[in-house]
Amino acid sequence: MSTAQHEPWWARAVFYQVYPRSFADSDGDGIGDLDGVTSRLDYLDRLGVDALWLSPIMVSPMADHGYDVADPRDVDPLFGGLAAFERLIAAAHERGMKVTTDLVPNHTSSQHPWFQEALAAEPGSAARNRYIFRDGRGPGGSEPPNNWQSVFGGLSWTRIVEPDGTPGQWYLHLFDAEQPDLNWDNPEVFDDLEKTLRFWLERGVDGFRIDVAHGMAKPPGLPDTDVEMRPRMLSDGDPRFNHPDVHEIHRNIRTVMNDFPDAVTIGEVWVFDNASWAEYVRADELHLGFNFRMVRAEYDITDIRDAIENTLAAAALENATPTWTLENHDVVRGPTRYGGLVQARAMALVTLTLPGAVFVYNGQELGLANVELPDEALQDPTWERSGHTVRGRDGCRIPVPWSGDTPPFGFSTSTDTWLPMPPEWAALTVEKQSGDPDSTLTFFQRAIEIRHTRPEFTGNRIEWLDAPRGTLVFGRGDAGLLCMLNTNDRAAPLPDGELILASAPLIGGKLAPHAAAWLVSSVDPRR
Ligand code: GLC
């Protein structure tokens, strides 16, 4: 799948994120697994995706559904073990599809042997020094070492009981208490990550999505802060993230990756200053970084244009490949965020116009919206840690509906799926949408196919054209490709050109409200 002239395969790839618990269940336990993914590869092939990104599949007690890794060099039995992963890699490669997987270097599971060893060891021991243990403040060390909060709510410190039974030190966890942060100042930590990188790369993995890639390095002395530490991991001024020492870690990772030149790294970088973001994609660091400006953009012309311009500008600072994400397993689904499926389809078309790598999250191609779950169904640790004030991310993680008229819609043979599936999804199954020319699935298939095959989808230059109020029109490259987005409640006249795809049927030859379209103009409207 390598493309011409030294362009790496990921430079214009469509990645498809599989949330393994929620994609397809092959063994009837109500939780998705890797043989389930393998059984659906033909579907993904028809959709036209170039590469998979699997959320973590390593051995895990699943406190954060795999983002708490107890053995980074084995696959969890829940997902079918290493053998199932090898089957998946082979079957994907047969179809020319790449397989990338999540890597979680910022923290481990509290069940990781290193952490268990640390708990059993003395303060100041080598075992404790793989994590961030500190004495508490105040009388008897009963207060946490600093005021940092967990991204999931509550303190980012938990106090342990020492092996002799006395109240002891505290350890840092920016996420759940089951996810202790590693001490990246300890060289053993990178040595172990190197083993992990090589383990997977030697088994044919085509790269890694690196979790919390702007985390890992912590400021010396772990100072208190008065910045707002929620929501999430917005880094600006937050001492928990984006410490400059993190770049040395990325350079070390890159040195290993350079032994596997056809494999990619994609960092989760919640950094919004363009110059700071670009540091992560310098030539000797990550290959790709998620730029989350599009996720954060409101459905508003000014915001969308600003997100596109800044994403491009940030990547251009290091001559890096831009990336585009509208959905993932951490954010509210597009149709819910934008106030409708029509809008979400239009936004998808806008991102599929753009140069670089595009990420599609499982179920996005079916137009799934977020699901409101009852309290008792919630599983995201955020719900408990926030004292039942933040519901968390389960609503975007519901299993994918494949076929049939009632839950579990072919996802599993068990009706007891790990998150309940809404009966209304009967209309949204892959079976119902396949072959329906107006379905969201058919729309995604056509858009991806056109993006891959039409010669106009080249060139990195974006040019903004004059457009009626509430609409955006931009050209990409030099072959006449235009994209128009209409955020108005009334239809808008299209520019001249051959219409190649619209996200909704035209109305009297005009672009429907909240639709987007691709055109190819033979007369360059920019002149
Ligand atoms: C990343 C993941 C998220 C996880 C967190 C902790 O943000 O995308 O799902 O909870 O890291 O690993």
Side-chain angles (χ1 to χ4, degrees):
M1 192 156 266
S2 289
T3 30
Q5 267 134 43
H6 311 300
E7 186 180 71
W9 62 262
W10 55 82
R12 51 175 95 190
V14 175
F15 284 79
Y16 185 92
Q17 181 190 355
V18 170
Y19 195 68
R21 295 178 77 81
S22 298
F23 192 64
D25 172 21
S26 74
D27 62 2
D29 63 359
I31 301 173
D33 48 48
L34 295 175
D35 282 332
V37 181
T38 305
S39 74
R40 299 293 184 178
L41 281 179
D42 286 337
Y43 166 77
L44 295 174
D45 205 22
R46 278 196 299 278
L47 182 58
V49 302
D50 302 293
L52 305 183
W53 151 29
L54 302 164
S55 279
I57 54 170
M58 289 100 165
V59 173
S60 166
M62 305 287 167
D64 188 20
H65 305 316
Y67 285 96
D68 48 321
V69 177
D71 180 354
R73 294 186 284 277
D74 200 358
V75 173
D76 200 280
L78 188 72
F79 295 137
L82 199 53
F85 189 42
E86 283 172 348
R87 287 192 287 276
L88 169 57
I89 294 177
H93 286 175
E94 253 166 50
R95 291 164 175 81
M97 208 182 282
K98 305 284 185 183
V99 180
T100 69
T101 181
D102 235 293
L103 193 74
V104 189
N106 180 69
H107 44 266
T108 70
S109 161
S110 54
Q111 297 306 313
H112 189 292
W114 274 5
F115 193 72
Q116 290 299 314
E117 210 187 303
L119 290 179
E122 300 295 309
S125 59
R128 289 257 168 114
N129 193 38
R130 295 185 186 120
Y131 293 90
I132 303 178
F133 280 88
R134 294 288 184 276
D135 293 333
R137 297 195 288 203
S142 62
E143 286 161 29
N146 71 16
N147 71 350
W148 294 5
Q149 287 171 24
S150 153
V151 171
F152 296 160
L155 292 178
S156 70
W157 294 95
T158 292
R159 192 172 197 189
I160 65 159
V161 176
E162 295 296 345
D164 66 4
T166 57
Q169 287 196 301
W170 299 71
Y171 68 89
L172 180 72
H173 52 86
L174 295 188
F175 298 90
D176 197 41
E178 310 302 319
Q179 294 166 295
D181 280 51
L182 284 161
N183 172 18
W184 274 91
D185 292 333
N186 182 340
E188 252 190 281
V189 171
F190 180 76
D191 291 349
D192 192 71
L193 183 74
E194 174 165 0
K195 279 191 208 152
T196 301
L197 293 166
R198 292 188 187 279
F199 178 90
W200 297 110
L201 291 164
E202 283 160 7
R203 273 160 190 78
V205 164
D206 301 295
F208 305 100
R209 179 266 191 185
I210 301 188
D211 192 59
V212 202
H214 65 318
M216 298 187 276
K218 310 292 187 301
L222 309 176
D224 272 342
T225 179
D226 50 17
V227 302
E228 181 61 64
M229 284 180 274
R230 289 187 58 77
R232 296 214 83 234
M233 311 194 270
L234 308 184
S235 64
D236 302 345
D238 185 333
R240 300 173 305 166
F241 299 107
N242 197 29
H243 187 273
D245 290 352
V246 76
H247 296 291
E248 191 190 330
I249 302 171
H250 288 299
R251 285 192 287 275
N252 291 337
I253 292 175
R254 182 58 174 265
T255 305
V256 177
M257 296 304 292
N258 286 343
D259 288 345
F260 300 84
D262 217 23
V264 67
T265 51
I266 310 141
E268 185 198 22
V269 182
W270 287 90
V271 171
F272 291 93
D273 173 69
N274 288 350
S276 305
W277 182 90
E279 290 176 354
Y280 288 83
V281 290
R282 288 182 284 210
D284 58 353
E285 298 197 27
L286 294 161
H287 298 102
L288 298 176
F290 283 105
N291 191 315
F292 292 116
R293 282 182 182 270
M294 277 301 255
V295 167
R296 287 177 82 201
E298 300 284 327
Y299 179 69
D300 164 89
I301 289 301
T302 313
D303 243 38
I304 296 165
R305 177 172 168 165
D306 183 74
I308 294 174
E309 284 180 330
N310 279 293
T311 301
L312 292 170
L317 287 175
E318 291 298 335
N319 200 18
T321 299
T323 62
W324 308 98
T325 304
L326 294 176
E327 295 189 13
N328 65 32
H329 65 297
D330 291 329
V331 301
V332 172
R333 284 199 181 265
T336 308
R337 256 187 10 246
Y338 299 130
L341 174 59
V342 183
Q343 290 87 334
R345 281 170 61 147
M347 289 298 290
L349 201 74
V350 169
T351 57
L352 283 163
T353 319
L354 295 162
V358 180
F359 290 79
V360 175
Y361 172 50
N362 62 201
Q364 184 181 347
E365 79 282 17
L366 302 176
L368 304 182
N370 251 54
V371 174
E372 285 293 332
L373 292 167
D375 293 1
E376 62 279 7
L378 297 178
Q379 309 250 351
D380 184 342
T382 304
W383 175 239
E384 290 303 328
R385 288 200 63 84
S386 69
H388 296 187
T389 57
V390 183
R391 301 188 74 74
R393 302 158 292 177
D394 297 309
C396 70
R397 297 176 174 178
I398 309 296
V400 167
W402 292 95
S403 58
D405 294 315
T406 49
F409 299 118
F411 161 73
S412 172
T413 51
S414 166
T415 49
D416 192 16
T417 53
W418 79 281
L419 290 171
M421 302 175 71
E424 311 82 78
W425 280 8
L428 296 176
T429 61
V430 169
E431 183 181 50
K432 288 265 166 51
Q433 297 200 40
S434 296
D436 170 356
D438 299 324
S439 74
T440 303
L441 175 58
T442 303
F443 162 69
F444 266 87
Q445 247 158 3
R446 293 188 59 203
I448 294 171
E449 187 189 352
I450 291 169
R451 175 181 169 88
H452 281 333
T453 55
R454 289 279 305 218
E456 295 86 1
F457 283 74
T458 54
N460 293 334
R461 197 167 56 90
I462 295 295
E463 189 162 337
W464 302 95
L465 307 184
D466 288 343
R469 184 189 288 269
T471 73
L472 274 183
V473 180
F474 61 94
R476 170 179 169 194
D478 298 313
L481 177 65
L482 295 179
C483 178
M484 177 168 186
L485 167 68
N486 177 17
T487 66
N488 295 319
D489 290 328
R490 56 186 184 284
L494 284 161
D496 288 339
E498 173 206 353
L499 179 75
I500 50 177
L501 187 64
S503 63
L506 299 191
I507 297 179
K510 292 181 170 179
L511 185 58
H514 309 293
W518 283 338
L519 300 108
V520 171
S521 147
S522 47
V523 190
D524 188 341
R526 289 166 284 200
R527 280 184 208 125

